[in-house]
Amino acid sequence: MILHTTEVTSLPSYRLFLRFNNGEVFEALRDPLLFATASQHPVMRTAAWANGSELAPEFLLDLMEAQQGNRAA
């Protein structure tokens, strides 16, 4: 899937509201059986699921570091 925006709205203070076309793919991961299919993608070397969902390694690292920071507080 090629990622693109489906909605862009200007907000105060130079902010944007963005909606992307990948929401449906990640919504499906609420199903515990589908979520359990997580594995390392053999080519992209990141988290991937059977329905084609993938998360960028940079996003995963940022998320992990943010969560570790929250535990230390």
Side-chain angles (χ1 to χ4, degrees):
M1 171 191 344
I2 297 174
L3 182 65
H4 64 269
T5 57
T6 59
E7 183 179 350
V8 177
T9 304
S10 176
L11 299 173
S13 302
Y14 301 98
R15 295 178 301 136
L16 294 175
F17 170 83
L18 302 171
R19 189 179 312 266
F20 293 89
N21 66 324
N22 64 352
E24 300 81 17
V25 174
F26 290 104
E27 183 68 26
L29 294 179
R30 290 179 183 254
D31 177 353
L33 294 176
L34 180 58
F35 190 82
T37 67
S39 64
Q40 181 173 328
H41 190 283
V43 176
M44 302 305 291
R45 299 187 63 139
T46 192
W49 286 266
N51 71 338
S53 297
E54 297 176 11
L55 294 173
E58 298 83 1
F59 171 78
L60 293 171
L61 181 60
D62 287 347
L63 182 61
M64 183 183 74
E65 289 173 346
Q67 289 177 345
Q68 288 174 343
N70 288 340
R71 277 191 227 129

